Amino acid sequence: MTRRAPYPTDLSDERWGLIGPMLENWRAARHHRALDTAYARFPRLRTLWADSAFRTTCIEHAARLGIAIEVVQRAPGSRGFVPLPRRWTIERTFGWLMMFRRLARDYETLPARSAALIQLRMIDLMARRLTGESTPTWRGT
């Protein structure tokens, strides 16, 4: 039985010891850029809700910007699907957006056009709520 030659992508513990810290630094820098962009665009931003993945990388940087990060975590001892309070709000909003047929697939090539369609869908949703009209759906056709 011959032994195969190792692939360069195989990560041994030794190699992972070199790559792991670089990945952590890259992720932290990416999160910092996202915080900086959000703060530059919305200077009145004071509170953010974050997933547990952000708890170690962003809290100090956000504190320097004057932003409090609240990490939304699962209740201890919970098993299976448990809706998290703030995360459920985001998932519900994504569900509302997916009812707009053009947003159900990624057809747009320009991010600005996708952002405009999201804004259009949310305007449509608010107008329907204010007027009491029912929302037609394309899923039943």
Side-chain angles (χ1 to χ4, degrees):
M1 176 187 257
T2 61
R3 208 175 140 183
R4 70 171 176 84
Y7 289 100
T9 56
D10 288 343
L11 294 176
S12 65
D13 291 338
E14 176 184 309
R15 289 185 190 151
W16 185 250
L18 298 173
I19 294 171
M22 290 189 320
L23 285 175
E24 289 300 320
N25 290 339
W26 177 77
R27 286 185 188 123
R30 186 180 62 186
H31 295 161
H32 289 185
R33 280 194 309 271
L35 275 173
D36 291 338
T37 303
Y39 185 71
R41 189 157 182 205
F42 306 104
R44 293 176 39 190
L45 187 64
R46 294 292 168 248
T47 304
L48 286 176
W49 292 285
D51 200 347
S52 60
F54 293 91
R55 75 174 166 256
T56 58
T57 58
C58 294
I59 293 180
E60 297 87 13
H61 185 66
R64 279 184 293 225
L65 296 174
I67 301 172
I69 292 187
E70 295 179 19
V71 178
V72 180
Q73 296 181 351
R74 293 175 60 125
S78 62
R79 297 185 64 158
F81 175 74
V82 178
L84 302 175
R86 293 295 169 187
R87 192 172 193 163
W88 187 250
T89 305
I90 300 300
E91 296 297 332
R92 181 185 61 200
T93 305
F94 285 153
W96 290 335
L97 290 173
M98 291 303 114
M99 292 297 286
F100 194 49
R101 186 175 188 165
R102 193 148 171 195
L103 290 173
R105 303 286 182 274
D106 193 17
Y107 293 128
E108 309 306 324
T109 56
L110 299 175
R113 187 172 294 162
S114 291
L117 286 173
I118 289 170
Q119 188 172 11
L120 181 66
R121 173 59 181 148
M122 295 312 285
I123 290 170
D124 179 55
L125 182 67
M126 290 302 286
R128 289 184 185 281
R129 286 185 178 175
L130 290 172
T131 59
E133 291 184 30
S134 64
T135 304
T137 178
W138 59 270
R139 293 177 192 253
T141 60

